Amino acid sequence: MLLSLFFFLLIGNADGQTAMINVQGRNTISLNGDWNVIIDPAGVGEWQQVWREQKPQKKTDFFEYSFDNGPVLKVPADFNTQMSELTFFEGTVWYRKKFHYTLQPAKRLFLHFGAVNYLADVYLNGEKLGHHEGGFTPFQFEITNMVRSGFNSIVVKANNARQKNGLPGLGYDWFNYGGITRDVNLIETGKTYIKDYSIQLQKGSIDTVAGWVLLDGLHSRQKVEISIPELGIQYKAVSNDEGLAPVYISSKFTLWSPGQPKLYKVIVKIQTDSVAEYIGFRSIETKEGKVLLNNKPVFLKAVNIHEENPYKKARANSKQDALLLLSAAKELGCNLVRLAHYPHNEHMVREAERMGLMVWSELPVYQHIDFTDSAVPAKMGAMLGEMVQRDKNRCGIIVWGLSNETYPGASNRSNALVELTKRCRGLDSARLIAHVINSHKYQGNTFEVWDTLYQYSDIVAVNEYAGWYMPWQGKPSDTKWKITCHDKPVFISEFGGEALYGSKYGRADEAANWREEYQEKIYKDQLEMFATIPNLAGVCPWLLFDYRSLSRLHPVYQQGYNRKGLLSEKGNKKKAWHIMKAYYAAKEKL
Ligand code: GCB
């Protein structure tokens, strides 16, 4: 337990400030809303030092920039969908927000970002606070000693240019929404505050929580109390000189499950701080080729989702957006959502948990990662730390997805990912870990599923597009399987094909016509093939809604969309939706 904690402390974002958890439960002042911006395609703002916000002092002075009287963008939101000039923009936008503040004695103040895609440089009143890399995880800066009484100004340089050694790298099949895409908050705490806690069942147990609470501040040694009123629990401990207090609680919990997503109000208290949130308890394990939830086998009825609101054609970032996406998954009959291919915003994770959807949360270690660049392993480690840090108390999350479709032959790929896996187990030994692979051989109607990484995964996760990218090699119902890690549960993490809703052009049995019938047939064949897979523990269509992607160039059928959705971007149900829904409904009866 202590080991994991030290990992958390060591691998925060580049400038060393790991974000506190449970922002929703804190004393916050929202900085969401209108921000003034400077759009900087040539990157000149850096040498102009726009963060200094200089104003002419004498007659001969002038400055070739100003935030005042310039364009305004909403936060949180991607910038691409707010101004037509920014639709395909991949570069720097400078954001500026003024706020009025008076620091109270005995208080501390933090500036917290839910996420900025992809690089962020943050300034307060002309002084640099720090830098953060990674488009999908939170970061914070303490500004107690820098905030002024009265007006303050924050400047953020947000840059979404693709990075060769970034996560993801240069190529990916989703829209590169840039900017301050998630909430920004000022968080006020006491001098010593509850920075972090881990309150989940220990591995293999359904009645014992083994966790910890971490305080930050001068009075690191003090009484810590955790209460769960509904269970009559009042647990007391004393933190050590590092501010760390152990947590051991045994009780007869009503366990969280999709059928009964029970959450308890949990209150953590010290003399100068108190924070509460709803937490659930469940166990998740694999045994003899099965996934066990609360010691019972569960079939994962999943669907892939991108963090995009199809109706707004924009990055999803609100509770309403989350409800839209997750309700569609519920309607399909799912019990799990794979939040592809990066950690989604907290609304998605929290609402999924509340609605009884298990969650697969994933790092953007996607396809073309440059594992030979020495910076990449450190970036993966930092991002992993931030993903686990934010969501470690979400019982809904059952899988940490560490990579997707990386290339087995790529230099240093397997080493780097094995190390990442070990690091993940060090941080969190209780959830399942998966690497998603598509390097299998499909020949003579046999799938040969192999990859070094499967040895390190709890699940054999396979992306296969039989019937779309690869023609069927025989009767789907006669498919044979050779799986290297044959004792593990198998999860078809992606399958499917494209269809334009309502398209009636050309023959229905030709892929090139994007007919719904063609996609429907792929689904029917896939379901027949699923019956041949040993240890099949779940399936996950690619994907719920059609979504925007710069990789999809067909002017008639794609129109900038990946059309593998079961639903169109307008929410129309394609024929394949009904096939999948019936399959999941029948599973329920088992
Ligand atoms: C995949 C990727 C997913 C793509 C999908 C596709 O294998 O994991 O991100 O978008 O295929 O549509 O080709």
Side-chain angles (χ1 to χ4, degrees):
M1 176 190 74
L2 280 178
L3 243 190
S4 350
L5 179 73
F6 286 129
F7 265 123
F8 281 133
L9 298 179
L10 286 175
I11 59 172
N13 67 68
D15 290 336
Q17 282 213 15
T18 316
M20 69 180 85
I21 58 166
N22 188 15
V23 174
Q24 296 81 345
R26 313 270 180 175
N27 186 14
T28 55
I29 300 165
S30 171
L31 295 182
N32 291 347
D34 291 344
W35 288 54
N36 292 91
V37 299
I38 295 172
I39 299 161
D40 184 12
V44 295
E46 199 61 51
W47 62 265
Q48 297 260 14
Q49 302 190 335
V50 302
W51 59 87
R52 294 176 64 194
E53 298 184 70
Q54 287 165 290
K55 300 275 182 292
Q57 302 297 317
K58 45 187 195 303
K59 277 188 174 171
T60 52
D61 283 352
F62 63 88
F63 294 99
E64 293 188 61
Y65 70 87
S66 171
F67 284 102
D68 299 328
N69 307 315
V72 168
L73 291 178
K74 291 273 181 229
V75 167
D78 63 81
F79 54 58
N80 311 78
T81 56
Q82 298 191 61
M83 288 170 74
S84 54
E85 303 89 300
L86 292 177
T87 303
F88 299 111
F89 189 64
E90 297 193 344
T92 293
V93 173
W94 297 85
Y95 286 73
R96 196 272 316 266
K97 180 80 172 173
K98 287 184 174 170
F99 66 94
H100 192 269
Y101 188 74
T102 314
L103 186 69
Q104 303 300 318
K107 292 285 179 205
R108 293 169 73 180
L109 190 67
F110 296 84
L111 173 60
H112 182 281
F113 293 85
V116 176
N117 191 29
Y118 172 80
L119 301 173
D121 292 279
V122 184
Y123 300 82
L124 174 68
N125 302 327
E127 298 283 325
K128 185 150 185 178
L129 295 175
H131 171 80
H132 181 264
E133 174 163 354
F136 306 98
T137 43
F139 55 98
Q140 72 179 31
F141 303 100
E142 177 159 15
I143 56 172
T144 312
N145 298 326
M146 291 170 76
V147 70
R148 290 181 190 148
S149 249
F151 275 101
N152 290 270
S153 180
I154 297 168
V155 171
V156 179
K157 177 188 181 188
N159 182 312
N160 70 334
R162 291 164 198 247
Q163 310 288 318
K164 187 167 175 295
N165 66 1
L167 304 174
L170 296 178
Y172 42 94
D173 183 27
W174 66 86
F175 200 90
N176 182 13
Y177 293 111
I180 307 180
T181 49
R182 296 188 189 159
D183 298 327
V184 185
N185 280 293
L186 292 170
I187 309 176
E188 218 175 47
T189 72
K191 282 285 177 207
T192 301
Y193 78 104
I194 301 159
K195 178 165 186 172
D196 200 1
Y197 46 87
S198 170
I199 301 177
Q200 287 281 278
L201 292 174
Q202 69 182 9
K203 189 175 178 62
S205 169
I206 51 166
D207 58 12
T208 303
V209 168
W212 43 265
V213 174
L214 178 69
L215 312 184
D216 182 80
L218 280 180
H219 303 289
S220 45
R221 221 183 156 76
Q222 57 168 300
K223 280 189 208 138
V224 177
E225 190 181 295
I226 296 175
S227 45
I228 309 180
E230 202 180 325
L231 294 170
I233 289 169
Q234 237 178 348
Y235 170 86
K236 292 190 173 73
V238 177
S239 53
N240 66 13
D241 291 338
E242 275 76 51
L244 188 63
V247 176
Y248 291 101
I249 298 172
S250 283
S251 186
K252 203 171 166 346
F253 299 103
T254 297
L255 299 172
W256 182 97
S257 69
Q260 191 181 9
K262 173 69 190 162
L263 300 174
Y264 291 96
K265 185 168 187 182
V266 177
I267 305 159
V268 185
K269 217 169 155 184
I270 59 171
Q271 212 185 349
T272 53
D273 197 11
S274 162
V275 60
E277 67 174 314
Y278 282 85
I279 292 181
F281 303 97
R282 57 92 196 97
S283 76
I284 189 79
E285 284 180 290
T286 60
K287 218 184 232 167
E288 291 159 11
K290 294 193 166 57
V291 174
L292 305 183
L293 176 72
N294 301 329
N295 296 332
K296 288 189 213 97
V298 60
F299 187 82
L300 304 175
K301 296 181 277 181
V303 72
N304 282 287
I305 303 183
H306 261 301
E307 196 187 40
E308 180 174 284
N309 180 326
Y311 302 144
K312 292 187 190 153
K313 306 185 194 326
R315 177 65 84 215
N317 55 34
S318 65
K319 186 171 164 182
Q320 289 74 13
D321 294 342
L323 290 176
L324 165 81
L325 296 166
L326 299 170
S327 312
K330 276 297 252 194
E331 193 185 338
L332 185 63
C334 294
N335 60 14
L336 182 136
V337 284
R338 177 174 175 229
L339 303 183
H341 284 299
Y342 37 77
H344 286 209
N345 66 73
E346 262 194 279
H347 296 294
M348 285 293 280
V349 177
R350 285 182 182 264
E351 291 310 312
E353 182 172 281
R354 216 180 42 74
M355 293 164 77
L357 286 163
M358 294 178 274
V359 172
W360 170 307
S361 180
E362 185 160 304
L363 288 178
V365 177
Y366 179 92
Q367 294 182 354
H368 314 269
I369 298 295
D370 185 357
F371 292 103
T372 56
D373 187 305
S374 58
V376 166
K379 290 183 189 187
M380 292 193 306
M383 219 177 267
L384 169 71
E386 291 174 350
M387 173 174 81
V388 175
Q389 161 76 0
R390 191 192 74 180
D391 287 340
K392 61 184 166 296
N393 293 316
R394 300 282 68 81
C395 69
I397 297 186
I398 61 155
V399 180
W400 299 123
L402 300 190
S403 67
N404 180 74
E405 296 188 350
T406 53
Y407 307 124
S411 194
N412 196 38
R413 168 267 201 182
S414 296
N415 268 346
L417 291 179
V418 169
E419 282 312 308
L420 188 71
T421 313
K422 289 183 188 158
R423 188 168 239 189
C424 188
R425 288 210 195 280
L427 290 175
D428 180 357
S429 60
R431 289 184 177 81
L432 309 181
I433 292 179
H435 291 277
V436 172
I437 311 284
N438 67 339
S439 55
H440 50 262
K441 224 160 83 189
Y442 176 44
Q443 241 170 259
N445 216 12
T446 301
F447 273 96
E448 268 184 59
V449 177
W450 67 278
D451 199 299
T452 327
L453 292 180
Y454 283 140
Q455 291 166 38
Y456 299 85
S457 305
D458 294 306
I459 298 179
V460 173
V462 184
N463 285 358
E464 54 81 16
Y465 283 88
W468 183 250
Y469 292 128
M470 300 179 291
W472 291 103
Q473 303 293 307
K475 262 179 82 181
S477 55
D478 291 342
T479 309
K480 304 278 174 299
W481 292 81
K482 281 191 195 157
I483 301 176
T484 43
C485 293
H486 56 268
D487 51 342
K488 297 190 179 183
V490 175
F491 181 66
I492 301 298
S493 33
E494 290 180 27
F495 67 96
E498 299 213 6
L500 175 66
Y501 173 76
S503 177
K504 292 279 176 265
Y505 290 110
R507 286 175 57 124
D509 61 352
E510 287 172 1
N513 299 326
W514 264 260
R515 292 279 298 255
E516 278 182 67
E517 291 83 350
Y518 197 89
Q519 187 195 37
E520 181 187 34
K521 178 77 168 63
I522 293 175
Y523 272 76
K524 285 183 176 163
D525 289 343
Q526 284 278 346
L527 302 194
E528 277 187 26
M529 191 264 281
F530 292 159
T532 68
I533 305 178
N535 292 347
L536 184 68
V539 299
C540 191
W542 186 261
L543 81 170
L544 189 58
F545 282 96
D546 287 354
Y547 68 99
R548 298 175 67 196
S549 166
L550 298 187
S551 316
R552 307 296 167 173
L553 306 179
H554 197 285
V556 177
Y557 300 120
Q558 294 181 306
Q559 302 144 337
Y561 277 84
N562 183 318
R563 296 255 175 237
K564 295 192 189 69
L566 293 170
L567 297 167
S568 75
E569 80 278 22
K570 296 193 172 67
N572 296 306
K573 295 182 170 107
K574 300 185 194 171
K575 292 185 190 306
W577 161 280
H578 302 286
I579 303 297
M580 213 48 225
K581 188 173 160 123
Y583 178 72
Y584 283 161
K587 284 274 168 204
E588 214 148 24
K589 287 184 207 130
L590 294 178

